[in-house]
């Protein structure tokens, strides 16, 4: 076998034997590790002594690096990648106005270009799968994602309150018919935006299609106030945007309780959950929902203003919590969009174990977007990508990688999705 220190892909002419300091996935750690790759698949994994030499192909030296599977960004807005990071607004409501203005000023071609930039930055950050929210006009974003090397789910976003609900339900059904639920590695889900912008009929209709569903829930205190009594900043916004009508019914309950009742037993990705009460934990645990936490986005907006996010309490109650980045607008890494940086924040700020974080960034992320978890671990068979990372300290462990600022290099990029 020849020696090669460069990056290899899944379309090599034979097997590739990778020697690494460690291979880490949601199932555990092998250190040191030897991995055999061929044609987008893992053929074998074990210690160097267990694997031994492999006839034909080449040897790739990653003995100073840690191998990780391609990661899952369970919540992103790639069509907001155009402007890059921007300073926060004084309130979340004003932030929403900025996003609406950005999307309102964008042409379909500009939307597609923004998604293409987001795809490039996602691959630069070691992302293999995304749960991407596609704002209006929706189809250019889906097509750009399907033309990329990424896998995952595109969640076209819909709005509809009160008397507007039947039209929104028809729009969702028409979009799915036109786009197709599955195309190559990117499926089409649905995102009824949030319980303050979508009535119950819209959310139930999304669930009835039996595709992956993602909903922004309990993101702000304004949302909780609107659902409780129909007042506050979001009432003013719905009136200003012409979304308020006589058919709107205020549920008079907390966003989490309201959405879980509408979902029933259907799995869904509940994004953010910045503001919940202790009694919501057993409700979430009894549901089929996966929570998606975006740590840097929450910090950017100052959420939760009432204390710390309860993602650790959720995990303790058996609730799967995946990681997302939200949009590039609220990130501090203009050169990449990656949940690796979310992992680093939680490791350094909250002392979350690396074992927990890799599960959040792979298996639970896959669950949130309706993907096969085996594509983001090192079990034999198809793999969504394999990357290698060094540490700043020179000690090749995942803990040291999470203390570092190193960027991934792809050993096997997710080109299997092209």
């Amino acid at each position: 076998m020849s020696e090669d220190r460069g990056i290899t892909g899944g379309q090599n002419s034979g097997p590739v034997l990778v020697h690494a300091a460690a291979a880490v996935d949601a199932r555990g750690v092998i250190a040191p590790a030897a991995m055999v790759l061929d044609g987008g698949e893992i053929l074998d994994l074990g210690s160097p002594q267990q694997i031994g030499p492999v006839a034909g192909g080449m040897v790739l030296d990653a003995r100073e690096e840690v191998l990780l599977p391609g990661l899952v960004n369970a919540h992103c807005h790639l069509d907001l990648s155009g402007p890059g990071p921007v300073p926060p607004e004084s309130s979340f409501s004003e932030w929403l106005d900025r996003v609406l203005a950005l999307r309102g000023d964008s042409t379909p071609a500009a939307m597609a270009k923004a998604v293409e930039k987001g795809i490039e930055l996602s691959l630069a950050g070691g992302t293999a799968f995304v749960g991407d929210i596609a704002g209006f006009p929706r189809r250019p974003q889906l097509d750009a994602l399907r033309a990329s090397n990424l896998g995952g789910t595109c969640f076209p976003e819909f709005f509809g309150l009160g008397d507007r609900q039947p039209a929104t339900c028809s729009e969702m059904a028409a979009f799915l018919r036109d786009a197709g639920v599955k195309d190559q590695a990117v499926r089409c889900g649905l995102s009824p935006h949030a319980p303050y912008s979508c009535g119950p009929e819209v959310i139930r209709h999304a669930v009835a299609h039996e595709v992956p569903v993602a909903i922004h829930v309990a993101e702000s205190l304004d949302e909780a106030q609107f659902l409780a009594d129909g007042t506050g900043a979001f009432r003013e916004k719905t009136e200003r945007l012409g979304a308020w009508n006589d058919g709107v019914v205020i549920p008079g309950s907390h966003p989490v309780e309201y959405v879980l009742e509408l979902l029933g037993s259907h799995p869904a990705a509940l994004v953010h959950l910045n503001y919940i009460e202790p009694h919501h934990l057993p409700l979430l645990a009894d549901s089929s929902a996966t929570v998606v936490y975006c740590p840097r986005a929450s910090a950017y907006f100052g959420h939760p203003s009432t204390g710390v996010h309860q993602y650790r309490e959720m995990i303790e109650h058996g609730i799967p919590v995946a990681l997302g980045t939200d949009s590039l607008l609220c990130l501090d890494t203009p050169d990449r969009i990656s949940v690796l940086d979310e992992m680093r924040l939680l490791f350094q700020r909250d002392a979350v174990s690396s074992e927990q974080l890799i599960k959040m960034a792979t298996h639970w992320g896959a669950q949130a977007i309706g993907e096969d978890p085996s594509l983001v671990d090192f079990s034999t068979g198809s793999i969504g990508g394999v990357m290698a990372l060094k540490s700043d300290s020179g000690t090749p462990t995942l803990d040291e990688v999470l203390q570092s600022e190193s960027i991934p290099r792809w050993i096997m990029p997710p080109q299997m999705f092209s």
Side-chain angles (χ1 to χ4, degrees):
M1 261 189 167
S2 59
E3 187 81 11
D4 188 321
R5 292 185 58 83
I7 298 175
T8 185
Q11 306 301 319
N12 52 76
S13 59
V16 177
L17 174 61
V18 185
H19 285 140
V24 184
D25 66 8
R27 304 170 308 152
V29 180
I30 296 175
M35 180 182 293
V36 184
L37 302 170
D38 192 8
E41 294 191 350
I42 295 177
L43 301 185
D44 208 353
L45 172 66
S47 69
Q49 294 78 13
Q50 290 171 322
I51 301 302
V54 177
M58 64 181 181
V59 176
L60 196 152
D61 184 0
R63 287 175 291 184
E64 296 180 357
E65 297 168 284
V66 177
L67 301 183
L68 295 178
L71 303 179
V72 181
N73 185 347
H75 181 74
C76 55
H77 294 261
L78 296 184
D79 61 13
L80 295 176
S81 300
V86 299
E89 297 285 358
S90 59
S91 72
F92 182 68
S93 182
E94 289 180 2
W95 164 263
L96 290 178
D97 287 340
R98 173 186 284 183
V99 171
L100 289 171
L102 283 171
R103 284 182 165 158
D105 293 341
S106 293
T107 64
M111 284 286 198
K113 186 175 181 180
V115 174
E116 289 165 3
K117 177 182 176 181
I119 290 165
E120 179 183 352
L121 296 179
S122 296
L123 290 169
T127 303
F129 296 91
V130 294
D132 182 45
I133 305 295
F136 189 82
R138 308 183 188 100
R139 188 55 193 256
Q141 297 96 304
L142 173 62
D143 290 343
L145 194 58
R146 282 179 168 171
S148 78
N149 288 358
L150 293 175
T153 301
C154 179
F155 293 97
E157 192 169 56
F158 293 88
F159 300 79
L161 285 170
D163 297 342
R164 308 282 175 81
Q165 293 183 86
T168 300
C169 293
S170 297
E171 192 179 358
M172 286 193 295
F175 189 92
L176 287 179
R177 284 196 303 269
D178 179 60
V181 173
K182 181 77 171 176
D183 185 299
Q184 296 182 12
V186 177
R187 65 183 54 77
C188 187
L190 291 170
S191 179
H193 170 255
Y196 62 84
S197 58
C198 292
E201 185 180 340
V202 173
I203 296 175
R204 289 194 185 101
H205 192 73
V207 168
H209 284 285
E210 297 187 349
V211 297
V213 171
I215 312 174
H216 301 79
V217 180
E219 186 172 5
S220 68
L221 290 173
D222 288 333
E223 174 185 340
Q225 180 179 356
F226 180 79
L227 289 188
D229 58 22
T231 65
F234 282 1
R235 170 63 180 267
E236 296 170 5
K237 187 180 298 296
T238 56
E239 291 179 342
R240 177 161 46 86
L241 295 174
W244 185 267
N245 57 74
D246 292 340
V248 177
V249 176
I250 300 302
S253 59
H254 188 277
V256 169
E257 298 163 16
Y258 179 55
V259 169
L260 288 180
E261 181 180 358
L262 295 173
L263 289 175
S265 61
H266 192 278
L270 305 187
V271 184
H272 298 308
L273 269 68
N274 292 320
Y275 297 96
I276 70 168
E277 303 295 334
H279 68 273
H280 294 139
L281 294 170
L283 298 179
L284 288 164
D286 288 341
S287 76
S288 300
T290 300
V291 173
V292 183
Y293 175 37
C294 303
R296 286 185 292 164
S298 289
Y300 173 93
F301 291 114
H303 296 316
S305 59
T306 53
V308 297
H309 196 282
Q310 294 189 53
Y311 73 95
R312 285 169 290 192
E313 290 84 353
M314 294 176 192
I315 293 171
E316 289 172 0
H317 277 75
I319 303 161
V321 179
L323 293 174
T325 61
D326 217 309
S327 75
L328 184 61
L329 298 176
C330 57
L331 301 182
D332 53 1
T333 50
D335 62 330
R336 63 187 183 272
I337 300 174
S338 178
V339 296
L340 174 64
D341 297 294
E342 313 297 332
M343 295 169 68
R344 284 170 165 160
L345 173 62
L346 298 184
F347 184 82
Q348 296 173 28
R349 185 191 71 187
D350 298 345
V352 180
S353 71
S354 56
E355 293 84 2
Q356 185 69 74
L357 291 168
I358 192 65
K359 183 181 295 186
M360 297 169 74
T362 57
H363 276 190
W364 286 346
Q367 180 174 318
I369 66 172
E371 193 53 79
D372 180 356
S374 71
L375 292 174
V376 287
D377 67 30
F378 290 147
S379 54
T380 56
S382 296
I383 179 71
V386 179
M387 60 177 171
L389 285 133
K390 289 187 174 182
S391 69
D392 295 342
S393 69
T395 302
T397 65
L398 182 54
D399 280 12
E400 288 299 315
V401 165
L402 295 177
Q403 291 281 16
S404 305
E405 298 181 359
S406 59
I407 59 174
R409 70 165 179 136
W410 286 108
I411 298 296
M412 176 179 283
Q415 62 186 29
M416 59 182 285
F417 302 120
S418 61

